[in-house]
Amino acid sequence: MKDKVKKVISFRFDRYKDIEIKLEKLAAKGLFLEECGAFLWTFRKGEPKSLKYTVTYFSEGSVFNPDITDNQQTYFDYAKAAGWNFVTQFNQMQIFYSEADNPIPFETDEKEKFDNIKRCMRKSFLPSIMIMMLVCVFNLVVQFNSFQLNPIEFLSDPGRLFSAAMILAVVIYEVYFLLDYLIWCKRSERSIAGGGECVENISMVRRIVHIIFMSFFLAGFGYFLYYLVFKISWFGVFLCIIQMPILLIVFRLSINYLKKKKASAAINKVISITVLIIADFVYLAFIVLFTIKLGFNIGADSDYRTVVWPVTATTSHEYRLYRDDIPLTCEALYGDLDYDYYSYEKEINSTLFLTQSNYRQDSLPAKDAPPRLEYDILEPQFKFIYHLAKNHLLEIPQWRDDESYEPIDNKIFGTVEAYQQYYDDTPTGEYILLFEKKIIVLNMEEPPTTKQISIIKEKLRI
């Protein structure tokens, strides 16, 4: 395989000139095309040559065909007679080369060529793009619903923001793709009607847009890997990276197996896509089961010990007790507590919009369990995010008509605004404390005493 080179090449049917020019430049460097795929193209190393390439389209072509069709073979023979040698194909795209300096074009009817490109686009590229856009739009709707349900969690989660940004970028790029293709069609129609040729779809603007999109995509993917490594684990990165290669291998093996069995293109397509969908669900199920069984945060920084605790007289449950360093503890509020089963947990999520620091001290379930404590510190980076977080925290669903938030004296905690939760007109230990640049949500089992308030202000530096 030392004489083989794999290259990532993106292409579109209406940008055949780009492909021809690229292949001719690579041939001049000693790289000759042998096989093309959806992304990876295989080249053979050799002595540099001056070759001419031409990219044509044949609507009967398909990766699912068991063999080259009779009409395709006739087409190849016609090209051979004109001095063009067949190289490879991908779906409807056929690639030929010639060693002649000025080879005779074997596609001379520009109207037929244009109609053929449109048929091929309608057959494969456009449906796949429309499906991708529908899936992306559906995902954006899901993301927006998630944002509406809890804007604080959404805006402080780098993973969610990354996902939404990448999906939105894909939608914008695909819309640009469709508009660019429609403009090319209109320009080519006018050119052919005037006796000219299909318009060469080579533009510096398009290349700049493509470079911007690919740069954004690669930067986003790099950040995603960074996020997985430092927030989840190296194993999480490994599982995510190998998912696509595994699915592509399964898909390719299914296609090749059915080709050997001489299955028709329609049967091959249906079965292979079905196998791909099933493989995807199986892989995702494996990740979910693995996460439930062993946890997905292998290698995480949090230190913990595992205990088996009786839940009922006949059943027990395994719990993880964490030892994270949290600023405010139950021991500081209530004094020494003779209890060895506290779990101290800290989770900090930060984005360019919002930093959310969640701290909690939990005890195991029991009737005589000691006090529990939980608090969030929110640091919005923009005023509108601050007001969005405030409104969300103070919003009470209609079905919880026995709950309310009542304002309290700002002098108690030194706040700009402060609210205490009431349940059936009884004050609870939950507070929303609004300061100039941050918001603290404090959840205690009962309202704090004056001494405890002083400790809270000292430990949380408010």
Side-chain angles (χ1 to χ4, degrees), residues 107-385:
E107 276 195 334
T108 56
D109 190 329
E110 289 294 320
K111 179 67 166 63
E112 183 180 346
K113 179 179 179 179
F114 176 65
D115 291 340
N116 205 16
I117 291 174
K118 289 201 297 183
R119 279 195 299 271
C120 293
M121 289 288 283
R122 287 196 297 267
K123 185 176 180 179
S124 59
F125 271 64
L126 292 181
S128 63
I129 288 171
M130 296 305 296
I131 291 172
M132 181 184 293
M133 287 184 63
L134 288 174
V135 170
C136 288
V137 169
F138 173 76
N139 275 277
L140 285 177
V141 171
V142 172
Q143 296 274 16
F144 182 71
N145 287 335
S146 176
F147 167 78
Q148 285 186 310
L149 287 172
N150 196 328
I152 294 173
E153 296 286 344
F154 188 90
L155 292 174
S156 63
D157 188 342
R160 293 191 193 181
L161 284 182
F162 164 81
S163 175
M166 294 303 290
I167 292 171
L168 182 60
V170 170
V171 171
I172 293 172
Y173 186 73
E174 296 300 347
V175 169
Y176 167 79
F177 172 97
L178 290 175
L179 291 175
D180 182 47
Y181 171 68
L182 293 174
I183 292 171
W184 176 81
C185 286
K186 292 295 183 183
R187 291 178 62 204
S188 295
E189 285 175 356
R190 288 197 296 267
S191 176
I192 293 170
E197 302 176 343
C198 292
V199 175
E200 291 188 3
N201 208 349
I202 302 176
S203 168
M204 185 58 67
V205 173
R206 297 185 187 95
R207 288 178 178 173
I208 291 173
V209 170
H210 182 71
I211 290 172
I212 291 173
F213 174 77
M214 291 306 298
S215 299
F216 177 78
F217 183 82
L218 292 174
F221 184 71
Y223 174 78
F224 180 61
L225 294 182
Y226 168 84
Y227 178 75
L228 286 175
V229 169
F230 291 97
K231 284 293 186 179
I232 301 178
S233 67
W234 277 106
F235 190 70
V237 175
F238 176 73
L239 287 179
C240 291
I241 288 176
I242 66 172
Q243 179 181 3
M244 188 58 69
I246 287 176
L247 294 178
L248 288 175
I249 290 171
V250 170
F251 190 49
R252 177 59 64 180
L253 288 175
S254 175
I255 292 173
N256 292 339
Y257 174 79
L258 292 170
K259 278 185 174 182
K260 290 180 180 179
K261 294 297 181 180
K262 301 299 181 181
S264 67
I267 293 175
N268 192 329
K269 186 175 184 179
V270 170
I271 294 177
S272 295
I273 291 176
T274 303
V275 168
L276 178 65
I277 294 172
I278 293 173
D280 192 21
F281 275 106
V282 169
Y283 189 86
L284 292 175
F286 163 75
I287 293 178
V288 171
L289 289 174
F290 185 89
T291 305
I292 293 173
K293 189 70 177 177
L294 300 177
F296 203 48
N297 57 342
I298 299 173
D301 293 334
S302 295
D303 183 26
Y304 65 87
R305 63 187 173 102
T306 303
V307 298
V308 178
W309 188 261
V311 179
T312 65
T314 57
T315 61
S316 298
H317 188 74
E318 190 174 87
Y319 291 90
R320 286 182 177 180
L321 303 181
Y322 291 88
R323 301 188 181 96
D324 295 341
D325 183 25
I326 63 176
L328 176 65
T329 63
C330 290
E331 289 84 352
L333 292 171
Y334 300 101
D336 292 334
L337 298 168
D338 186 16
Y339 187 72
D340 192 38
Y341 297 103
Y342 264 130
S343 179
Y344 304 86
E345 299 177 49
K346 173 179 67 176
E347 183 179 1
I348 299 176
N349 287 314
S350 184
T351 68
L352 59 89
F353 295 107
L354 176 68
T355 297
Q356 180 185 28
S357 304
N358 175 258
Y359 305 93
R360 58 188 304 142
Q361 184 175 348
D362 279 333
S363 57
L364 294 175
K367 289 183 179 179
D368 56 347
R372 299 178 177 90
L373 174 67
E374 182 176 2
Y375 48 99
D376 284 312
I377 301 176
L378 309 177
E379 298 174 271
Q381 302 302 315
F382 304 97
K383 274 292 183 182
F384 75 95
I385 301 295

Side-chain angles (χ1 to χ4, degrees), residues 9-38:
I9 295 181
S10 62
F11 65 92
R12 270 176 36 187
F13 283 177
D14 58 322
R15 297 186 182 174
Y16 51 89
K17 277 294 180 184
D18 279 339
I19 303 173
E20 293 171 355
I21 292 171
K22 189 173 189 67
L23 293 177
E24 288 168 7
K25 287 181 178 179
L26 289 173
K29 296 178 181 179
L31 294 177
F32 305 97
L33 179 66
E34 281 199 346
E35 185 180 355
C36 58

